[in-house]
Amino acid sequence: MGFEDNYLKTKYGNKRPFKVPDGYFDSLESQIMDRLQDNEVCVTKNMKHSLLRTYRYVAAAACLCAILVGVAIYTDKTSDIPSKLTSTVAYDSSYDVIDYVTDRGIVDNDDIYALLSEN
Amino acid sequence: MGSGKETYMQDGKQVDKRTFFSELVAQYSESLYWKIRHIVLSHDDANDILQNVFIKAWNNLDDFQNKSKISTWLYRIAINESLDFVRKHKSAVTFETDSDMSIANRLMADEYFDGDRTMALLQQAIASLPEVQRVVFNLRYYDEMKYSEMSKLLNTTEGALKASYHIAVKKITEFFKTHD
């Protein structure tokens, strides 16, 4: 088994059929060493500050959310008042405040004349 | 991961990591390159893989526990990285029986291939071997590596390596007999 490759070596040789660019191995060491970085990255002392900063942002965001939810709930409650007083009036999105006041809050001149004529 | 302040022994002196590693690169880069190149065939690919090998070695140097020679450790990383590359680019390097010998043609067109058509066909035949036979063939035929050293590198018995080489030689010989 030791000389089984004699045929191949005799016929084709065992010289490498590859080449490299000129000067490749000369510059290889510096090329590789330049790519290597020291693994140590000092994050420990910055970690505490960044965590505190993060907590502050989260707390601020939570407060803002709470305020927005509160406003939304309050707005929703006050928007219910017209519908309670005018339960016979079907809600219509085109039914604005002026129409409501006109229907219920303001008495027009014809009504006044009618009222006066009855007396 | 260490603090980076570890020292390493080199020629009886304690040196820092960078100095130690620089010596490794100087000593082993060329032999590593050729082992890689024989598997991946292209210079550009071999260069990329070689750089990755050294980056991996740098990142894991503190974990190297002297269970083997450092050269064996480096060669093992190089072979694993090369085979990973070949697996990912399988269509580019495997022998396609129905094709027009695409590996051989590619090599003939490669400015960094220094052989004739027969040499290109030989590389194609080697590339068509299963992984283990391919690696064993390259290490034995071109590097003339001893089976004892190969056994430690590939973590395989010498008997199994000799059998792999025998089969690889037989396949390549048959290949040329049918293509002559």
Side-chain angles (χ1 to χ4, degrees):
Chain A
M1 203 183 261
F3 303 103
E4 67 225 307
D5 53 9
N6 271 355
Y7 171 78
L8 290 179
K9 282 184 179 173
T10 304
K11 198 153 176 160
Y12 308 111
N14 66 338
K15 179 179 164 287
R16 287 193 186 102
F18 303 113
K19 50 188 180 181
V20 296
D22 290 340
Y24 172 69
F25 289 116
D26 297 331
S27 61
L28 188 55
E29 186 187 337
S30 58
Q31 200 182 343
I32 289 169
M33 294 311 294
D34 286 346
R35 279 195 70 175
L36 298 176
Q37 302 286 333
D38 287 334
N39 282 350
E40 302 79 26
V41 179
C42 192
V43 294
T44 313
K45 67 176 181 182
N46 290 330
M47 185 78 87
K48 213 193 259 186
H49 290 153
S50 70
L51 277 175
L52 280 173
R53 202 179 300 125
T54 305
Y55 289 144
R56 284 194 194 122
Y57 287 146
V58 170
C63 289
L64 188 61
C65 285
I67 292 167
L68 288 172
V69 167
V71 167
I73 291 170
Y74 176 76
T75 306
D76 188 52
K77 281 185 191 281
T78 56
S79 70
D80 282 339
I81 294 172
S83 63
K84 281 179 188 172
L85 290 176
T86 60
S87 58
T88 57
V89 177
Y91 176 75
D92 183 359
S93 60
S94 64
Y95 191 75
D96 61 15
V97 171
I98 296 199
D99 288 340
Y100 174 78
V101 168
T102 305
D103 284 342
R104 294 285 179 258
I106 295 174
V107 177
D108 64 11
N109 291 336
D110 288 339
D111 288 339
I112 293 171
Y113 298 145
L115 192 62
L116 289 174
S117 63
E118 283 171 7
N119 296 331
Chain B
M1 195 180 295
S3 65
K5 306 288 183 210
E6 287 85 1
T7 56
Y8 299 81
M9 290 303 295
Q10 193 172 72
D11 300 327
K13 294 184 294 181
Q14 276 193 331
V15 296
D16 66 16
K17 185 177 179 179
R18 206 163 173 86
T19 307
F20 180 79
F21 202 81
S22 175
E23 181 55 34
L24 283 185
V25 173
Q27 195 173 347
Y28 295 111
S29 57
E30 192 166 342
S31 64
L32 281 166
Y33 172 87
W34 288 118
K35 283 172 179 54
I36 296 166
R37 181 79 186 267
H38 271 290
I39 295 173
V40 305
L41 305 177
S42 145
H43 163 69
D44 288 337
D45 293 336
N47 180 50
D48 288 343
I49 292 168
L50 179 65
Q51 310 243 357
N52 287 341
V53 166
F54 278 119
I55 290 170
K56 275 203 169 177
W58 170 264
N59 289 339
N60 294 289
L61 190 62
D62 298 336
D63 298 333
F64 173 66
Q65 292 171 351
N66 289 308
K67 286 181 184 171
S68 62
K69 289 195 298 182
I70 202 157
S71 59
T72 306
W73 182 64
L74 289 169
Y75 292 149
R76 197 177 291 137
I77 297 172
I79 287 167
N80 287 336
E81 288 291 304
S82 303
L83 292 178
D84 279 347
F85 176 88
V86 166
R87 285 179 206 122
K88 282 177 193 160
H89 298 80
K90 202 166 182 167
S91 62
V93 297
T94 52
F95 177 69
E96 297 167 26
T97 51
D98 296 332
S99 76
D100 57 346
M101 309 285 188
S102 60
I103 292 175
N105 282 345
R106 267 206 301 280
L107 285 171
M108 290 304 291
D110 185 346
E111 63 177 312
Y112 298 119
F113 183 69
D114 190 23
D116 57 14
R117 179 107 188 132
T118 305
M119 292 296 106
L121 284 172
L122 175 57
Q123 292 308 311
Q124 176 140 3
I126 297 168
S128 72
L129 296 169
E131 280 181 7
V132 172
Q133 289 170 28
R134 180 178 181 170
V135 170
V136 171
F137 183 87
N138 279 321
L139 291 174
R140 184 72 180 169
Y141 191 82
Y142 288 107
D143 291 342
E144 297 182 336
M145 187 181 278
K146 292 179 190 170
Y147 283 118
S148 56
E149 190 181 345
M150 213 188 293
S151 172
K152 289 178 187 133
L153 170 57
L154 301 179
N155 203 27
T156 310
T157 63
E158 288 186 38
L161 294 171
K162 288 175 186 172
S164 285
Y165 188 64
H166 175 76
I167 294 166
V169 167
K170 197 171 168 193
K171 281 183 185 174
I172 293 169
T173 307
E174 285 304 314
F175 173 86
F176 276 104
K177 282 181 181 167
T178 59
H179 288 89
D180 267 344

